Amino acid sequence: MFSNKWLVKEHDGCAEHELIASLGLRPLTARVLAARGYTNPAAASSFIRKSGLHFYDPFLLADMDKAVARIEQAIEQKEHICIYGDYDVDGVTSTTVLYTYLAARGARCSYFIPDRLSEGYGLSRAAIERLAPEVDLIITVDTGITAAEETEFARSLGVELIITDHHSCRPVLPQAAAVINPHRPDSAYPFRQLAGVGVVFKLLCALEGNAESVCECFADLVAIGTIADVMPLTDENRLIASIGLERLRRTDNVGLRALMEHAGVLKPGGIQKRITSSTVGYVLAPRINAAGRIANASCAVELLLCRDASQADAIAAELCAVNKVRQQTEQQIYEQAEEQIRVYGKDSPAFVLANDCWHQGVIGIVASKITEKYSLPSILFSFDGDVAKGSGRSIRGLSLMDALAHCGDLLIEYGGHELAAGLSVERGKLDAFRKRFCDYVGEMLHTVERTPPIEADCRAHFEELDLQTAEELRLLEPFGLQNPIPTFLLEEVTLADMTPLSDGRHIRLRVTDGRRTANAVFFGMSPSEFPVFPGEKCDLIFTLDVNEYNGNASAQLILKAARPAKAVRDTIEHELRLYALAKSGAIEDAGVIMPTLGDFRAVFRFLKHELSGGKKRLSLRYMQKQLRSTENRPVGLCKLRIILDVLEESGLADCNYLKGYDLAELMILPFSGKINLDDSNILKKLKEHA
């Protein structure tokens, strides 16, 4: 109904009270810890203080001893070492960290990162052939674990390889001088979820023999790569992120400081915004990633290696400019993809879209947006001559790799995992692939829940939403995968007022329980999308943050979801049941829900006015309210849905319902001549039962 289902985790109330009594925690913090399984004071204290975390012996990783011996030999004998990286943030930070360390040790070293568009992902024969005349040893970072043939080719040219990677291993490993990967079946390493830069960090710990000194030099970069690659922030990664974020706040990396200045993290005068894992994931990482997507990742490495402040400033400015180009390119592709969906595939169980001009480095981001919006698998292709290179995303429970395997004979190549994959297909086989892929997904969709529930850690009480609690929740940081920002459910509160921000792109709200008030903000939500009106009771899912403004700090709710309170939802459910009966033809007296000509005219006039700027997202409740106030015409939800269906059937409008009934993306379509509503099959069906 209202978007996804809402679920609240169960927790042990006795454990909550014991944590409050033993550790002096505020109730909301104790409730989160209990809901996440920290039910005794010792476990909760250990988690908060990170006292149970430590760095494991790097030599527990298989082949670490071989790698250390071979690198020491290369340094001593002045062999030329080339670091071969990947073009994402994990690869860029891995390359930077290893290059900086080896150069400081006096090694003859260089680095190479393939171009995403012209050279593609991973270790390639062409690159090896180009490097071989001057290189004795290649060390891969964040790549190489599947490069068995390429490793043999390098050996034939007299080049040895050390492979460091964190991606899944195949049954047969490359025959390199050393293969370091925590996912190796024969690895005794107790933590398998290291990022590529985490594996490099362990290599440096083994070479240096001192994790503390490695952290002092590189923890900021290791944390950036780990967080950006969305690795679980548990165990060793939690320690890496904690130390690294603290190091990032006082980093002496000239390039990082320049990037943070251009991104607004550091302001003139050295004033610093609070740096968290979100700062890395949403501010720094996209700018570093943009280099590999739009330009070349070497630009990002040069920034992180830079020692000259003016040069770093210029590179940072260039990366931010490239990121803006990436954003513009992404939006353009997204709009074109949406138009293809509207014209050709709106009712498809999956979307397979293609264009000769789409940028290969951006289509994966757009595929993620399409899948997120429609809760359906999507693949976007960009043509390179007669070959279409694609990037796909799927929904949880529907394996993209299984779907591609079902179409394997039509593909040139494919690879990835359950939720994301890359692939290529000949231009002439694209239509056949689209049909078989969509048929397969259509058969599998009934086995998965397309819209997973929105989960809250626990319920919150209004009196708990204070500054002290918001600050105390920071004890649970760093937040990320497997340790998300705590979310709370607040029920039956009244929306006091709502103010649009940033030209209506966001909203600020004030809610009350009748005695107290709390401030809230909903990013990415416009007033016309919000399903609750001032004066109404509502339920909210949110995170609790500290808002700092003009030197003052206060608690602030960051909303993630909102819905009317239960009494209003019950009325809406009744209207939706009527609509379902009307659609199925099972309603006995359709006359009571049959829209009048005046209803149609009022809705169409409203849409023409509201959608004058093009496509727009509107809450149906917002539409109902506006129809009452501007047209003096109350239109029930059932009637409104029928009217929108008829307008779409008649070619007057395009309508997509997003994650539930209430939020619709609407657009008035161009038309000429007169439209006779009596020709509507929907209305004819209703009249039969009137």
Short mmCIF file of all heavy atoms in Angstrom, two decimals, residues 295-332:
data_model
loop_
_atom_site.label_atom_id
_atom_site.label_comp_id
_atom_site.label_asym_id
_atom_site.label_seq_id
_atom_site.Cartn_x
_atom_site.Cartn_y
_atom_site.Cartn_z
N ALA A 295 36.89 9.99 -17.49
CA ALA A 295 38.22 10.32 -18.01
C ALA A 295 39.13 9.10 -17.87
O ALA A 295 38.89 8.08 -18.47
CB ALA A 295 38.77 11.53 -17.24
N ASN A 296 40.16 9.22 -17.02
CA ASN A 296 41.06 8.10 -16.76
C ASN A 296 41.41 8.10 -15.29
O ASN A 296 41.70 9.15 -14.71
CB ASN A 296 42.33 8.22 -17.61
CG ASN A 296 43.18 6.96 -17.53
OD1 ASN A 296 43.79 6.68 -16.52
ND2 ASN A 296 43.20 6.20 -18.61
N ALA A 297 41.39 6.91 -14.67
CA ALA A 297 41.59 6.81 -13.23
C ALA A 297 42.98 7.27 -12.80
O ALA A 297 43.20 7.59 -11.63
CB ALA A 297 41.36 5.36 -12.78
N SER A 298 43.93 7.31 -13.73
CA SER A 298 45.27 7.77 -13.38
C SER A 298 45.25 9.19 -12.84
O SER A 298 46.10 9.58 -12.02
CB SER A 298 46.19 7.69 -14.60
OG SER A 298 46.35 6.34 -15.00
N CYS A 299 44.28 9.97 -13.28
CA CYS A 299 44.14 11.34 -12.78
C CYS A 299 43.89 11.33 -11.27
O CYS A 299 44.45 12.15 -10.53
CB CYS A 299 42.99 12.03 -13.51
SG CYS A 299 42.62 13.70 -12.95
N ALA A 300 43.05 10.40 -10.80
CA ALA A 300 42.76 10.30 -9.38
C ALA A 300 44.00 9.83 -8.60
O ALA A 300 44.26 10.31 -7.49
CB ALA A 300 41.59 9.35 -9.14
N VAL A 301 44.75 8.89 -9.17
CA VAL A 301 45.98 8.44 -8.51
C VAL A 301 46.97 9.59 -8.40
O VAL A 301 47.59 9.80 -7.34
CB VAL A 301 46.61 7.26 -9.28
CG1 VAL A 301 47.93 6.85 -8.62
CG2 VAL A 301 45.67 6.07 -9.32
N GLU A 302 47.11 10.37 -9.48
CA GLU A 302 48.02 11.51 -9.45
C GLU A 302 47.63 12.51 -8.36
O GLU A 302 48.50 13.10 -7.70
CB GLU A 302 48.05 12.21 -10.82
CG GLU A 302 48.77 11.42 -11.90
CD GLU A 302 50.22 11.12 -11.52
OE1 GLU A 302 50.95 12.06 -11.16
OE2 GLU A 302 50.61 9.93 -11.54
N LEU A 303 46.33 12.69 -8.16
CA LEU A 303 45.89 13.58 -7.08
C LEU A 303 46.34 13.06 -5.72
O LEU A 303 46.87 13.81 -4.90
CB LEU A 303 44.36 13.71 -7.10
CG LEU A 303 43.77 14.49 -5.92
CD1 LEU A 303 44.12 15.96 -6.01
CD2 LEU A 303 42.26 14.29 -5.83
N LEU A 304 46.13 11.78 -5.47
CA LEU A 304 46.45 11.21 -4.16
C LEU A 304 47.96 11.08 -3.93
O LEU A 304 48.40 10.99 -2.78
CB LEU A 304 45.77 9.85 -4.01
CG LEU A 304 44.24 9.87 -4.11
CD1 LEU A 304 43.67 8.47 -3.94
CD2 LEU A 304 43.64 10.82 -3.08
N LEU A 305 48.73 11.09 -5.01
CA LEU A 305 50.19 11.05 -4.88
C LEU A 305 50.82 12.44 -4.81
O LEU A 305 51.99 12.58 -4.45
CB LEU A 305 50.80 10.30 -6.08
CG LEU A 305 50.54 8.81 -6.20
CD1 LEU A 305 51.10 8.28 -7.51
CD2 LEU A 305 51.14 8.05 -5.03
N CYS A 306 50.03 13.45 -5.14
CA CYS A 306 50.56 14.80 -5.33
C CYS A 306 51.10 15.37 -4.03
O CYS A 306 50.49 15.24 -2.96
CB CYS A 306 49.46 15.69 -5.90
SG CYS A 306 50.07 17.30 -6.41
N ARG A 307 52.24 16.06 -4.10
CA ARG A 307 52.84 16.72 -2.93
C ARG A 307 52.79 18.25 -3.05
O ARG A 307 53.05 18.95 -2.07
CB ARG A 307 54.30 16.29 -2.78
CG ARG A 307 54.49 14.78 -2.61
CD ARG A 307 53.91 14.30 -1.29
NE ARG A 307 54.08 12.87 -1.12
CZ ARG A 307 55.14 12.30 -0.58
NH1 ARG A 307 56.15 13.04 -0.18
NH2 ARG A 307 55.20 11.00 -0.44
N ASP A 308 52.47 18.75 -4.22
CA ASP A 308 52.44 20.19 -4.47
C ASP A 308 51.01 20.71 -4.33
O ASP A 308 50.10 20.25 -5.01
CB ASP A 308 52.98 20.49 -5.86
CG ASP A 308 52.99 21.98 -6.16
OD1 ASP A 308 53.91 22.66 -5.72
OD2 ASP A 308 52.03 22.44 -6.83
N ALA A 309 50.80 21.69 -3.46
CA ALA A 309 49.45 22.16 -3.15
C ALA A 309 48.76 22.77 -4.36
O ALA A 309 47.56 22.52 -4.59
CB ALA A 309 49.50 23.18 -2.00
N SER A 310 49.45 23.57 -5.15
CA SER A 310 48.81 24.21 -6.30
C SER A 310 48.45 23.19 -7.37
O SER A 310 47.39 23.27 -8.00
CB SER A 310 49.72 25.30 -6.88
OG SER A 310 50.96 24.75 -7.30
N GLN A 311 49.33 22.22 -7.57
CA GLN A 311 49.03 21.16 -8.54
C GLN A 311 47.86 20.30 -8.06
O GLN A 311 46.97 19.95 -8.84
CB GLN A 311 50.27 20.29 -8.76
CG GLN A 311 50.07 19.22 -9.84
CD GLN A 311 51.29 18.32 -9.99
OE1 GLN A 311 52.29 18.49 -9.29
NE2 GLN A 311 51.21 17.37 -10.90
N ALA A 312 47.84 20.00 -6.76
CA ALA A 312 46.74 19.21 -6.20
C ALA A 312 45.43 19.97 -6.35
O ALA A 312 44.38 19.38 -6.65
CB ALA A 312 47.01 18.91 -4.73
N ASP A 313 45.46 21.28 -6.14
CA ASP A 313 44.26 22.09 -6.28
C ASP A 313 43.72 22.00 -7.71
O ASP A 313 42.50 21.88 -7.91
CB ASP A 313 44.57 23.54 -5.91
CG ASP A 313 43.34 24.42 -5.98
OD1 ASP A 313 42.49 24.33 -5.07
OD2 ASP A 313 43.21 25.18 -6.95
N ALA A 314 44.61 22.05 -8.68
CA ALA A 314 44.18 21.99 -10.09
C ALA A 314 43.59 20.62 -10.41
O ALA A 314 42.55 20.53 -11.10
CB ALA A 314 45.38 22.28 -11.00
N ILE A 315 44.21 19.55 -9.93
CA ILE A 315 43.69 18.20 -10.21
C ILE A 315 42.35 17.99 -9.51
O ILE A 315 41.42 17.42 -10.08
CB ILE A 315 44.70 17.12 -9.77
CG1 ILE A 315 46.03 17.27 -10.52
CG2 ILE A 315 44.12 15.72 -10.04
CD1 ILE A 315 47.13 16.32 -10.04
N ALA A 316 42.25 18.46 -8.27
CA ALA A 316 40.99 18.32 -7.53
C ALA A 316 39.86 19.07 -8.23
O ALA A 316 38.73 18.57 -8.33
CB ALA A 316 41.15 18.83 -6.10
N ALA A 317 40.16 20.26 -8.73
CA ALA A 317 39.16 21.02 -9.47
C ALA A 317 38.74 20.26 -10.72
O ALA A 317 37.56 20.23 -11.09
CB ALA A 317 39.72 22.39 -9.83
N GLU A 318 39.73 19.64 -11.39
CA GLU A 318 39.42 18.87 -12.59
C GLU A 318 38.53 17.67 -12.27
O GLU A 318 37.56 17.38 -12.99
CB GLU A 318 40.72 18.38 -13.24
CG GLU A 318 40.50 17.57 -14.51
CD GLU A 318 41.80 17.01 -15.09
OE1 GLU A 318 42.88 17.39 -14.58
OE2 GLU A 318 41.73 16.19 -16.02
N LEU A 319 38.82 16.97 -11.15
CA LEU A 319 37.99 15.82 -10.77
C LEU A 319 36.56 16.24 -10.45
O LEU A 319 35.60 15.55 -10.82
CB LEU A 319 38.60 15.13 -9.55
CG LEU A 319 39.75 14.15 -9.79
CD1 LEU A 319 40.14 13.47 -8.49
CD2 LEU A 319 39.38 13.11 -10.82
N CYS A 320 36.41 17.37 -9.78
CA CYS A 320 35.06 17.85 -9.47
C CYS A 320 34.32 18.23 -10.75
O CYS A 320 33.11 18.01 -10.87
CB CYS A 320 35.12 19.03 -8.50
SG CYS A 320 35.62 18.56 -6.83
N ALA A 321 35.05 18.82 -11.70
CA ALA A 321 34.43 19.16 -12.99
C ALA A 321 34.03 17.89 -13.75
O ALA A 321 32.94 17.82 -14.34
CB ALA A 321 35.40 20.00 -13.82
N VAL A 322 34.90 16.89 -13.71
CA VAL A 322 34.59 15.61 -14.36
C VAL A 322 33.37 14.97 -13.71
O VAL A 322 32.51 14.39 -14.38
CB VAL A 322 35.81 14.67 -14.30
CG1 VAL A 322 35.42 13.24 -14.70
CG2 VAL A 322 36.92 15.17 -15.20
N ASN A 323 33.27 15.09 -12.38
CA ASN A 323 32.11 14.52 -11.69
C ASN A 323 30.82 15.21 -12.12
O ASN A 323 29.78 14.56 -12.24
CB ASN A 323 32.30 14.66 -10.17
CG ASN A 323 31.25 13.90 -9.40
OD1 ASN A 323 31.01 12.72 -9.64
ND2 ASN A 323 30.59 14.57 -8.47
N LYS A 324 30.87 16.51 -12.36
CA LYS A 324 29.68 17.22 -12.86
C LYS A 324 29.30 16.73 -14.25
O LYS A 324 28.12 16.56 -14.56
CB LYS A 324 29.93 18.72 -12.86
CG LYS A 324 29.96 19.34 -11.47
CD LYS A 324 30.16 20.84 -11.53
CE LYS A 324 30.16 21.44 -10.12
NZ LYS A 324 30.41 22.90 -10.13
N VAL A 325 30.32 16.50 -15.08
CA VAL A 325 30.04 15.93 -16.41
C VAL A 325 29.41 14.56 -16.27
O VAL A 325 28.45 14.22 -16.97
CB VAL A 325 31.34 15.85 -17.25
CG1 VAL A 325 31.10 15.09 -18.55
CG2 VAL A 325 31.88 17.24 -17.54
N ARG A 326 29.93 13.77 -15.33
CA ARG A 326 29.36 12.45 -15.08
C ARG A 326 27.90 12.56 -14.67
O ARG A 326 27.04 11.82 -15.15
CB ARG A 326 30.17 11.75 -13.99
CG ARG A 326 29.82 10.28 -13.74
CD ARG A 326 28.74 10.09 -12.70
NE ARG A 326 29.07 10.69 -11.44
CZ ARG A 326 28.20 10.84 -10.45
NH1 ARG A 326 26.95 10.46 -10.59
NH2 ARG A 326 28.57 11.43 -9.32
N GLN A 327 27.58 13.50 -13.79
CA GLN A 327 26.21 13.69 -13.36
C GLN A 327 25.30 14.11 -14.51
O GLN A 327 24.18 13.61 -14.65
CB GLN A 327 26.16 14.75 -12.25
CG GLN A 327 26.79 14.30 -10.94
CD GLN A 327 26.92 15.42 -9.93
OE1 GLN A 327 27.14 16.58 -10.29
NE2 GLN A 327 26.78 15.10 -8.65
N GLN A 328 25.80 15.02 -15.35
CA GLN A 328 25.00 15.46 -16.50
C GLN A 328 24.80 14.33 -17.50
O GLN A 328 23.69 14.14 -18.03
CB GLN A 328 25.69 16.65 -17.17
CG GLN A 328 25.74 17.90 -16.31
CD GLN A 328 26.74 18.93 -16.81
OE1 GLN A 328 27.47 18.71 -17.79
NE2 GLN A 328 26.79 20.08 -16.15
N THR A 329 25.87 13.57 -17.75
CA THR A 329 25.78 12.44 -18.68
C THR A 329 24.82 11.39 -18.14
O THR A 329 23.99 10.84 -18.87
CB THR A 329 27.17 11.81 -18.89
OG1 THR A 329 28.07 12.82 -19.35
CG2 THR A 329 27.11 10.68 -19.90
N GLU A 330 24.92 11.13 -16.85
CA GLU A 330 24.04 10.16 -16.19
C GLU A 330 22.57 10.58 -16.33
O GLU A 330 21.71 9.76 -16.65
CB GLU A 330 24.44 10.08 -14.72
CG GLU A 330 23.59 9.17 -13.87
CD GLU A 330 23.99 9.28 -12.41
OE1 GLU A 330 25.20 9.36 -12.13
OE2 GLU A 330 23.09 9.30 -11.56
N GLN A 331 22.29 11.86 -16.10
CA GLN A 331 20.91 12.35 -16.19
C GLN A 331 20.38 12.25 -17.61
O GLN A 331 19.22 11.88 -17.84
CB GLN A 331 20.84 13.80 -15.69
CG GLN A 331 19.44 14.39 -15.67
CD GLN A 331 18.47 13.62 -14.78
OE1 GLN A 331 18.88 13.01 -13.80
NE2 GLN A 331 17.19 13.64 -15.13
N GLN A 332 21.24 12.57 -18.58
CA GLN A 332 20.82 12.49 -19.98
C GLN A 332 20.49 11.05 -20.37
O GLN A 332 19.46 10.78 -21.01
CB GLN A 332 21.93 13.05 -20.87
CG GLN A 332 21.58 13.10 -22.36
CD GLN A 332 22.74 13.62 -23.19
OE1 GLN A 332 23.90 13.25 -22.99
NE2 GLN A 332 22.43 14.50 -24.13
#
